Amino acid sequence: VMVAGRAVDVPSVDAVAAQKARFSSQVWTEDRAAMSNFKPAKKGNPQEMIAEFHKHMETIADEREKKMREFSGRLNEERRNKQEEQEGLAFGIARVSPAASFSLAVSRLAGTSLELKQHFAAAADAYQKSYAEFITSKTGMNPGGAMVVWRMVDDDSQTPKPINPHEIPAFVYAPLTLTEVGGKAVVEAGVLAAFALLFMAGAVVAFLRYDVR
């Protein structure tokens, strides 16, 4: 693990968060300039001006959220790839030890290996997307946006209806199947079998060369 940590540099969570914060500040600066340059095309009717302003702000918020989501996703993916490269190198070196290979095989068969963390993170990301789509379909607003826009309403019919809590999609985690776990454990089993054959061959050769005299 120490050798892999020296060989592959993985950016820290704080470093990634700092990059996101700097990018967010840059995007907000650009958005403020776009907000200040807003000029309504329809003047004279306050209701139409407010509706146009709301659409303008919503467009800016959607674009900002899209940029942040793409930038964050790229940084997270780069860090995750580095982590996987580091872990792969560490496990590759550790497989020199039969005890380490046995531990890796047993952890995979028991469903307690590091793949469990990656599988859970992928399931959580998928749920986050489905939840965002549900909120957007019900409220018409992006749940990830931080923009607050005031609108004028003429009557109570435009008031959003309350969301039924039972309609909110629930997060259901599906554990790794036996096929997925067993397929990944084949590599460790193969390494253990190779060690067994190697040591057996060495023992046979040593026995044949042994001189009882």
Side-chain angles (χ1 to χ4, degrees):
V1 173
M2 294 178 64
V3 172
R6 292 284 186 177
V8 181
D9 184 22
V10 179
S12 64
V13 176
D14 293 337
V16 174
Q19 294 184 55
K20 293 180 182 179
R22 288 194 295 268
F23 183 77
S24 177
S25 177
Q26 176 184 347
V27 173
W28 268 104
T29 302
E30 297 173 358
D31 288 350
R32 281 195 293 268
M35 295 174 193
S36 61
N37 294 331
F38 170 76
K39 295 181 180 179
K42 301 178 181 179
K43 299 180 180 179
N45 190 334
Q47 189 68 23
E48 294 181 355
M49 292 174 61
I50 292 177
E52 186 178 354
F53 177 74
H54 170 72
K55 184 177 181 180
H56 178 72
M57 299 293 279
E58 186 177 4
T59 302
I60 292 177
D62 291 342
E63 289 294 330
R64 179 176 63 255
E65 180 65 19
K66 181 180 178 182
K67 291 179 182 178
M68 286 299 305
R69 185 169 57 251
E70 292 176 351
F71 185 77
S72 298
R74 184 167 63 254
L75 289 182
N76 293 335
E77 183 178 2
E78 291 176 357
R79 185 176 186 276
R80 185 165 55 250
N81 292 339
K82 286 291 185 179
Q83 279 185 317
E84 293 178 358
E85 181 181 355
Q86 189 182 74
E87 292 171 358
L89 178 59
F91 289 154
I93 298 174
R95 287 189 179 95
V96 176
S97 169
S101 296
F102 178 77
S103 298
L104 293 173
V106 171
S107 65
R108 282 196 168 92
L109 290 175
T112 57
S113 62
L114 288 179
E115 282 80 4
L116 180 64
K117 179 188 68 174
Q118 301 169 0
H119 184 67
F120 180 82
D125 290 340
Y127 172 74
Q128 185 179 17
K129 294 179 181 178
S130 63
Y131 178 80
E133 292 175 356
F134 170 79
I135 295 297
T136 303
S137 64
K138 290 294 183 179
T139 64
M141 298 177 62
N142 192 338
M147 180 68 65
V148 178
V149 179
W150 288 268
R151 292 187 297 175
M152 295 178 61
V153 295
D154 295 331
D155 50 76
D156 296 337
S157 62
Q158 298 184 21
T159 303
K161 297 180 179 180
I163 297 176
N164 186 0
H166 298 287
E167 296 181 357
I168 299 177
F171 174 71
V172 179
Y173 174 71
L176 291 170
T177 63
L178 183 60
T179 303
E180 295 173 337
V181 173
K184 295 179 180 179
V186 170
V187 177
E188 313 301 341
V191 173
L192 289 174
F195 274 120
L197 292 175
L198 179 63
F199 293 150
M200 184 178 294
V204 170
V205 171
F207 177 79
L208 294 177
R209 290 183 177 182
Y210 178 72
D211 188 358
V212 294
R213 295 177 297 178

